[in-house]
Amino acid sequence: MNVFVTGGTGYVGGEIVRALLSEGHAPTLLVRSSSIPKIPASLRSRLEIVPGEIKQPETYDRQLRRCEAIIHLVGIIREYPQKGITFQDIHVEATRSIVTAAERTDVRRFLHMSALGARRDAIAGYHRSKYEAEQILRNSSLDWTIFRPSLIVGGEGGGHDNFVTTLRDLLTMMPFFVPVMGSGNYRFQPVAVDNLAMGFVRALAEPKSILQIYDVAWSEVYSFNDMLDMVAEKAKRKKVKIHQPMWLMKILARCFGRYAFFPVSFDQIIMMEEESVTDLWRQFFGDFNITPSSIRDIVGEAKFNVNKE
């Protein structure tokens, strides 16, 4: 199947592109010109790369018409309003543009990345914007499927989008202790990125997934402290946790969260407090016949440099 992918150079996008190729699909990636170098050289000859902007459909309309499905992954976890990077623009307006383009070109199958916790009355702007994007799709004429993942872990991607490597880097940077916001007891139901990617790919050929919303999480529930301890044990960097008062972090995030130098935004703190757990995780694994990956195994298989403190 010819599949049009937005956000294909990101952490999750890279895994989905590799899964599409392994299952015999032909991905077409909409990519900003500045992001083309992010595509591994080993994959470029196997992809069609379309330099363009999602809110400028004239840059990709011709290539979209040749596709049979769309996987829409574009998203951000944090806003930088002074740079024009906002949830409204990236989540809502970009989704409106690609949905409109899909209807105009009659590409009916549309798979969409949302987030666990997306809802109309959410406190966090991230969750509200994800919900608004969902509503654009649900009110369209397309054959849509929406995925709402919890915390995503594992895979080949590194850097700030991979939670396990982020914790590793935090442990590496701090010489004697590691800071933790609040109690550290807020919970996640992490899901392996390759499980999520395979769900997207198998949904392309699974009619019962049409007009379905999937909570994507595994049954194992971990607190932030649990995850930090697992990574510290693997990396041989066990350190004292210094708990920062949540009220203080909220004040600081209100003041400085819009700037990249500050490690967390107010929205991210709110979402941590709300936690990311669900009882509705079974349908995803059942409908797509996916054997879930163990989070402990994922941490155990991660690559860590343990030679120097």
Side-chain angles (χ1 to χ4, degrees):
M1 182 181 291
N2 294 322
V3 183
F4 193 84
V5 182
T6 72
T9 61
Y11 167 47
V12 176
E15 293 290 335
I16 289 177
V17 167
R18 284 186 282 270
L20 286 167
L21 290 169
S22 70
E23 295 297 310
H25 297 288
T28 296
L29 270 60
L30 177 65
V31 184
R32 287 182 172 177
S33 297
S34 60
S35 294
I36 290 177
K38 296 179 182 179
I39 303 172
S42 60
L43 296 182
R44 291 181 195 176
S45 64
R46 305 172 64 190
L47 308 170
E48 180 174 2
I49 300 171
V50 182
E53 297 284 341
I54 195 168
K55 290 168 62 181
Q56 298 173 11
E58 66 275 8
T59 63
Y60 58 85
D61 189 84
R62 178 173 56 85
Q63 292 88 349
L64 182 59
R65 290 180 184 276
R66 297 201 300 264
C67 293
E68 302 157 82
I70 295 171
I71 295 179
H72 179 49
L73 306 170
V74 170
I76 54 173
I77 192 63
R78 187 171 172 182
E79 292 183 297
Y80 296 102
Q82 71 277 16
K83 298 180 180 180
I85 302 172
T86 66
F87 295 141
Q88 181 68 27
D89 187 55
I90 303 298
H91 293 163
V92 180
E93 299 308 326
T95 299
R96 194 187 313 279
S97 293
I98 191 67
V99 167
T100 300
E103 290 183 311
R104 185 182 64 254
T105 57
D106 200 30
V107 182
R108 297 200 52 77
R109 193 70 176 102
F110 196 108
L111 311 182
H112 178 71
M113 171 79 87
S114 186
L116 195 61
R119 61 198 188 279
R120 185 194 306 274
D121 60 349
I123 298 174
Y126 174 84
H127 282 150
R128 291 196 308 273
S129 66
K130 284 289 189 179
Y131 178 81
E132 189 173 347
E134 288 184 3
Q135 295 308 107
I136 291 169
L137 187 54
R138 295 178 71 179
N139 290 329
S140 74
S141 62
L142 304 177
D143 295 332
W144 52 264
T145 303
I146 293 170
F147 296 90
R148 292 175 170 177
S150 180
L151 180 69
I152 304 168
V153 297
E156 296 182 22
H160 70 280
D161 290 320
N162 188 329
F163 186 72
V164 171
T165 54
T166 297
L167 292 184
R168 175 204 64 192
D169 293 344
L170 178 63
L171 288 161
T172 301
M173 286 188 301
M174 306 306 294
F176 306 113
F177 65 90
V178 59
V180 175
M181 285 188 293
S183 68
N185 291 327
Y186 30 86
R187 302 171 301 157
F188 312 96
Q189 270 176 270
V191 62
V193 67
D194 57 346
N195 290 168
L196 174 61
M198 189 52 64
F200 268 89
V201 173
R202 291 185 177 173
L204 292 170
E206 183 50 77
K208 67 182 171 186
S209 69
I210 294 174
L211 306 187
Q212 293 293 318
I213 299 176
Y214 291 96
D215 285 1
V216 189
W218 182 222
S219 60
E220 301 169 344
V221 178
Y222 296 98
S223 70
F224 181 86
N225 288 330
D226 293 334
M227 295 293 294
L228 188 59
D229 288 343
M230 274 196 288
V231 174
E233 181 179 358
K234 167 65 179 179
K236 295 182 170 49
R237 295 180 185 278
K238 194 76 173 179
K239 293 174 182 173
V240 174
K241 300 185 189 77
I242 302 296
H243 295 271
Q244 313 297 315
M246 196 65 90
W247 62 266
L248 176 60
M249 293 304 299
K250 286 181 179 179
I251 291 174
L252 293 174
R254 283 283 199 189
C255 295
F256 304 113
R258 73 190 69 179
Y259 302 111
F261 73 83
F262 198 74
V264 68
S265 69
F266 182 78
D267 246 32
Q268 289 173 300
I269 293 175
I270 292 298
M271 289 189 288
M272 281 191 293
E273 282 190 314
E274 289 184 349
E275 304 187 312
S276 185
V277 295
T278 177
D279 294 325
L280 305 177
W281 52 269
R282 292 176 180 84
Q283 185 182 6
F284 172 80
F285 292 99
D287 281 5
F288 303 120
N289 192 28
I290 295 171
T291 300
S293 303
S294 164
I295 304 307
R296 289 189 179 277
D297 287 346
I298 289 171
V299 174
E301 293 166 1
K303 293 180 175 64
F304 297 98
N305 180 1
V306 297
N307 294 324
K308 60 181 180 179
E309 193 69 31

